Amino acid sequence: MGIAPKKSKFSWNEYFSDKKDGGHRHSTEEFLNKEAKEKLLHLDGGTSLLDFGCGAGELLIYYAPCYEMVVGVDFSPSMLDEARRKVAVNKYDNVCLIKADDKTVWNEVSSLFDRITTTEVLQYLTFEQIDSFIETASKYLNNDGKIVFFDIIEPRSYVLWKIGFFSKRIHYLKVLPTIFVELFDYICASLSNSPKDIIGYSHNPYKIEKIANKYGFEMEYIRSIYYEYRYHAILSRKLPL
Ligand SMILES: C[S@@+](CC[C@H](N)C(=O)[O-])C[C@H]1O[C@@H](n2cnc3c(N)ncnc32)[C@H](O)[C@@H]1O
């Protein structure tokens, strides 16, 4: 995995403009179905869902039968085309797909949601963007609603994953050179103010929790079942004492 090009020449919007899948570990329906089941368990009901960064709809089509209304949002036209195709094949008439980004999305939706969710999206947002997303999302959330961020990259586990710590067999001889290359990539990325690699930014759970608390939410931290270096953050409104 190479270093993402310098920020000035690079935008995630452009990067995703011709992509057609979300890069899940396996692209089989069997795997996506299992991934969606884990997510539906944590979404834990509700009747209306906003799936921000829905991509090609690989999970959204599994959410659709469980909700009265599903709104999928993404800034990539190619991803949305794929999502539209899947929704049409499945004949879901409760799904609306919108082209927007983390700022413009709020001009496009008018109703409140029971659940606002993202999967593998926070890695493309800076802390400032996440802060602003949570602040505005909270205004579009029903009182007992939840914001559920799935599969955020955990910085410490990601480093371990990259050096092969979670592999079935660790190749100890490769660990040292890998650490060296990783360190070099990290320094270059920091100097050029770019995301460290094309997977985007990792975010410390304590920092996400701090933002959540600032806007009156408490955060539940859950390790992802299918990705060793990812976690979920479930934000529910703090109950009055
Ligand atoms: C890794 S894919 C995941 C797609 C989908 N959530 C899934 O799990 O299959 C990330 C998606 O987020 C979208 N995305 C990233 N940043 C975004 C932003 N600021 N506004 C809208 N969409 C964004 C990308 O276009 C891409 O479709």
Side-chain angles (χ1 to χ4, degrees), residues 16 22 24 52-55 59 74-76 79 100-102 119-120:
F16 279 108
H24 293 263
F52 178 76
C54 64
L59 297 171
D74 206 287
F75 60 16
S76 161
M79 288 284 208
D101 64 21
D102 51 295
T119 298
E120 293 187 26

Side-chain angles (χ1 to χ4, degrees), residues 56-57 60-61 64 80-95 97:
L60 178 142
I61 53 154
L80 283 174
D81 283 348
E82 274 302 302
R84 254 180 228 112
R85 193 184 57 75
K86 290 193 184 74
V87 169
V89 167
N90 286 283
K91 299 190 171 73
Y92 291 137
D93 57 7
N94 58 335
V95 176
L97 295 169

Side-chain angles (χ1 to χ4, degrees), residues 20-178:
K20 293 184 172 171
D21 68 72
H24 293 263
R25 182 160 285 173
H26 306 286
S27 54
T28 60
E29 286 307 322
E30 190 192 351
F31 178 76
L32 293 170
N33 186 0
K34 280 204 275 188
E35 231 197 279
K37 275 188 185 146
E38 185 213 352
K39 273 139 186 139
L40 282 164
L41 176 80
H42 296 310
L43 284 169
D44 190 25
T47 60
S48 52
L49 174 80
L50 172 68
D51 184 10
F52 178 76
C54 64
E58 285 154 294
L59 297 171
L60 178 142
I61 53 154
Y62 290 99
Y63 299 156
C66 308
Y67 287 85
E68 282 172 22
M69 176 188 62
V70 175
V71 176
V73 175
D74 206 287
F75 60 16
S76 161
S78 53
M79 288 284 208
L80 283 174
D81 283 348
E82 274 302 302
R84 254 180 228 112
R85 193 184 57 75
K86 290 193 184 74
V87 169
V89 167
N90 286 283
K91 299 190 171 73
Y92 291 137
D93 57 7
N94 58 335
V95 176
C96 165
L97 295 169
I98 297 173
K99 183 175 178 303
D101 64 21
D102 51 295
K103 289 264 176 292
T104 55
V105 52
W106 310 114
N107 306 329
E108 305 290 334
V109 293
S110 46
S111 58
L112 301 186
F113 294 91
D114 292 331
R115 302 288 181 268
I116 295 178
T117 191
T118 70
T119 298
E120 293 187 26
V121 175
L122 288 208
Q123 66 211 57
Y124 307 112
L125 305 183
T126 60
F127 272 118
E128 292 71 31
Q129 285 175 292
I130 295 172
D131 187 302
S132 152
F133 186 89
I134 296 177
E135 181 182 21
T136 320
S138 69
K139 297 174 188 150
Y140 287 82
L141 199 63
N142 280 320
N143 272 344
D144 52 355
K146 292 180 189 182
I147 301 175
V148 186
F149 295 126
F150 287 120
D151 293 321
I152 306 169
I153 301 173
E154 219 277 1
R156 294 152 297 183
S157 331
Y158 185 52
V159 170
L160 291 177
W161 180 78
K162 286 209 89 176
I163 63 172
F165 188 79
F166 296 111
S167 308
K168 283 190 188 119
R169 243 183 90 203
I170 299 185
H171 297 279
Y172 288 100
L173 284 177
K174 284 190 191 158
V175 167
L176 260 185
T178 313

Side-chain angles (χ1 to χ4, degrees), residues 1-17:
M1 193 171 288
I3 302 175
K6 278 189 178 184
K7 234 182 193 172
S8 53
K9 292 188 190 140
F10 179 82
S11 85
W12 293 116
N13 198 334
E14 212 179 305
Y15 173 78
F16 279 108
S17 62

